Amino acid sequence: MNSKLVNFIIRKYLKFDHKNPFISISAILAFIGVAVGVMVLIIAMAIMNGTSKEFEDKLFTMNYPLSVYPKFEGGVDKNLLLDLEKKFPNMLFSPYLSSQVMIQGDGSMSGGVIFGVDPKREAKINKIYKKAYDKIDSFKKYDLIVGDGIKKDLSLYSRQKVTLYFTKLNPSGFSMIPQLKRFNYKASFKSGLTSYDSAYMYTSIEALQTMLQKGKTTFDGIHIYSNNPMKDIKKIEKAIPQFSVGVIGWWQQNGNFFSAMELEKQALFLVLMLIILIASLNIISSLLMTVMSRRKEIALLLSMGATQKEIKQIFFKLGIIIGVGGIFTGVVFGFLGMFVLGHFDIISLPADVYGTSKLPLVLNPIDFISIVIGSIVIVLASSYYPAYKATKIDVLEVLRNE
């Protein structure tokens, strides 16, 4: 039996069987099931990747790629900053001081963390800060940039005077003496994450040096921008005195969060892959019913010289056509679904929770390849068993009884 005859028989079996419609309906359901499974899996993985990347971009900006911190009291020395800038000219550095403060507007108060930074240095490594800084004509010692959440809570307006309350331990050790200072509100930033927008404030490093009575050569830490922080962290570790200071990456500060998201993604992948597996059971049942209903035809083909390999090939290809056709259709509708969800506001997210109101969609090539390969493996496995059973027909018994 040549390949043309094999293909002819396959085309015949693919046509709707009016005598046994349930067989054809089962095949159609298998096709639709595989297509829907692949489509849902592609869109779900794109949403998981997009959400993870959205949080990663926000956390990357506000947490900085790398940060040098003191292991003991005393801070980070300015000479270390100069030494790092000399050794790593391809990186950007921004020293900072920080403190917890209370901020008071016109009758209302809010708490948060204030960072004293060099405005020009900070603007080079923090794009969220830069957007606010670029709106300002000049930034003086006691000028202030706050998060959008603080601005709304206190109803701040441009050039408004606000009072910041710093706390300092009394020499007797029994009380906290508040220090008050009037700052000039200049602008606000919006990171997209409420936890930062409602807590972070920025002023000049000179202002905090005065308020916290810190020397001009000591910092609370150094923020570092690097294009490849996971690789450069090792270089920084070798260049700093490890007994007094340390370096930490943004992924280490948020390791548990991203580990949880990755675990959820893997669990979702496995659960949705079961949809394809369940749909493939329809391929098995459809092919087995086809084998049972075509027993006489199979027996005749074998008696006329067809080999078991050729019979197996017929049903194996039949299963592959149904399954791979479903996979291809699922891929097409998956990308179409991504396009629709990405360009039309069908689903709106609360920006204060997810960091964006638009549904983020990013399909990782590795995830796409895994979906396609996993689906093909399931389809191949589902097609093999019915094809194998088709070769086990007893020719003499079938021809005698049927």
Side-chain angles (χ1 to χ4, degrees), residues 91-198:
M91 300 184 199
L92 299 174
F93 300 85
S94 176
Y96 70 91
L97 293 173
S98 64
S99 176
Q100 292 184 340
V101 296
M102 295 292 293
I103 178 172
Q104 181 179 18
D106 293 335
S108 55
M109 296 185 70
S110 179
V113 179
I114 188 168
F115 291 90
V117 297
D118 182 323
K120 293 182 179 179
R121 286 176 180 264
E122 185 69 16
K124 290 180 180 179
I125 71 170
N126 188 334
K127 63 183 180 181
I128 302 297
Y129 175 87
K130 185 178 186 300
K131 289 180 182 179
Y133 178 71
D134 288 343
K135 300 176 185 176
I136 303 171
D137 296 331
S138 62
F139 195 80
K140 298 180 180 178
K141 181 176 180 179
Y142 291 106
D143 287 344
L144 190 67
I145 294 175
V146 305
D148 189 63
I150 296 176
K151 175 190 174 183
K152 291 179 179 178
D153 290 343
L154 303 182
S155 301
L156 301 180
Y157 53 87
S158 181
R159 302 179 184 276
Q160 180 182 354
K161 295 283 186 178
V162 295
T163 303
L164 265 62
Y165 294 82
F166 296 80
T167 56
K168 182 181 178 183
L169 187 65
N170 187 293
S172 65
F174 293 105
S175 63
M176 299 290 286
I177 301 176
Q179 287 185 311
L180 285 68
K181 179 63 183 177
R182 300 278 281 176
F183 280 72
N184 304 308
Y185 165 71
K186 283 287 188 175
S188 65
F189 64 85
K190 189 174 183 179
S191 69
L193 293 176
T194 305
S195 56
Y196 295 118
D197 294 344
S198 299

Side-chain angles (χ1 to χ4, degrees), residues 313-327:
Q313 190 177 19
I314 291 172
F315 290 95
F316 190 67
K317 284 186 176 181
L318 193 61
I320 289 176
I321 290 171
I322 296 171
V324 173
I327 293 172

Side-chain angles (χ1 to χ4, degrees), residues 88-381:
F88 305 105
N90 59 321
M91 300 184 199
L92 299 174
F93 300 85
S94 176
Y96 70 91
L97 293 173
S98 64
S99 176
Q100 292 184 340
V101 296
M102 295 292 293
I103 178 172
Q104 181 179 18
D106 293 335
S108 55
M109 296 185 70
S110 179
V113 179
I114 188 168
F115 291 90
V117 297
D118 182 323
K120 293 182 179 179
R121 286 176 180 264
E122 185 69 16
K124 290 180 180 179
I125 71 170
N126 188 334
K127 63 183 180 181
I128 302 297
Y129 175 87
K130 185 178 186 300
K131 289 180 182 179
Y133 178 71
D134 288 343
K135 300 176 185 176
I136 303 171
D137 296 331
S138 62
F139 195 80
K140 298 180 180 178
K141 181 176 180 179
Y142 291 106
D143 287 344
L144 190 67
I145 294 175
V146 305
D148 189 63
I150 296 176
K151 175 190 174 183
K152 291 179 179 178
D153 290 343
L154 303 182
S155 301
L156 301 180
Y157 53 87
S158 181
R159 302 179 184 276
Q160 180 182 354
K161 295 283 186 178
V162 295
T163 303
L164 265 62
Y165 294 82
F166 296 80
T167 56
K168 182 181 178 183
L169 187 65
N170 187 293
S172 65
F174 293 105
S175 63
M176 299 290 286
I177 301 176
Q179 287 185 311
L180 285 68
K181 179 63 183 177
R182 300 278 281 176
F183 280 72
N184 304 308
Y185 165 71
K186 283 287 188 175
S188 65
F189 64 85
K190 189 174 183 179
S191 69
L193 293 176
T194 305
S195 56
Y196 295 118
D197 294 344
S198 299
Y200 278 23
M201 294 169 269
Y202 291 88
T203 187
S204 67
I205 196 167
E206 291 82 9
L208 284 198
Q209 285 172 345
T210 301
M211 298 305 301
L212 302 178
Q213 298 181 4
K214 295 281 184 103
K216 294 184 177 181
T217 60
T218 303
F219 312 116
D220 287 343
I222 303 171
H223 290 143
I224 306 173
Y225 180 83
S226 165
N227 290 322
N228 192 352
M230 292 186 182
K231 181 179 179 181
D232 290 338
I233 189 172
K234 296 179 181 178
K235 298 178 182 178
I236 298 294
E237 286 176 345
K238 295 179 180 178
I240 60 176
Q242 297 186 14
F243 65 90
S244 59
V245 297
V247 60
I248 189 171
W250 68 269
W251 64 94
Q252 295 170 322
Q253 293 173 307
N254 303 278
N256 292 336
F257 174 77
F258 288 105
S259 295
M261 290 199 70
E262 183 63 25
L263 185 61
E264 288 180 6
K265 176 184 167 184
Q266 293 174 2
L268 184 63
F269 181 88
L270 292 175
V271 170
L272 294 179
M273 189 62 76
L274 291 176
I275 296 177
I276 301 173
L277 181 61
I278 293 170
S280 69
L281 295 179
N282 282 332
I283 297 177
I284 297 175
S285 63
S286 174
L287 291 179
L288 285 176
M289 285 188 289
T290 303
V291 170
M292 295 303 295
S293 66
R294 306 288 184 175
R295 282 163 56 87
K296 188 175 180 180
E297 294 178 17
I298 296 170
L300 285 172
L301 289 172
L302 289 170
S303 66
M304 293 173 63
T307 64
Q308 289 186 344
K309 181 179 179 181
E310 289 169 331
I311 297 299
K312 183 186 292 184
Q313 190 177 19
I314 291 172
F315 290 95
F316 190 67
K317 284 186 176 181
L318 193 61
I320 289 176
I321 290 171
I322 296 171
V324 173
I327 293 172
F328 178 78
T329 304
V331 168
V332 172
F333 278 95
F335 280 99
L336 181 62
M338 287 174 56
F339 175 81
V340 172
L341 291 173
H343 289 78
F344 300 96
D345 294 331
I346 297 175
I347 299 176
S348 182
L349 302 176
D352 57 338
V353 176
Y354 294 97
T356 177
S357 59
K358 190 176 180 181
L359 189 66
L361 294 160
V362 178
L363 183 60
N364 191 319
I366 296 177
D367 289 335
F368 175 70
I369 293 171
S370 299
I371 292 168
V372 173
I373 292 177
S375 302
I376 290 175
V377 169
I378 291 174
V379 167
L380 292 177

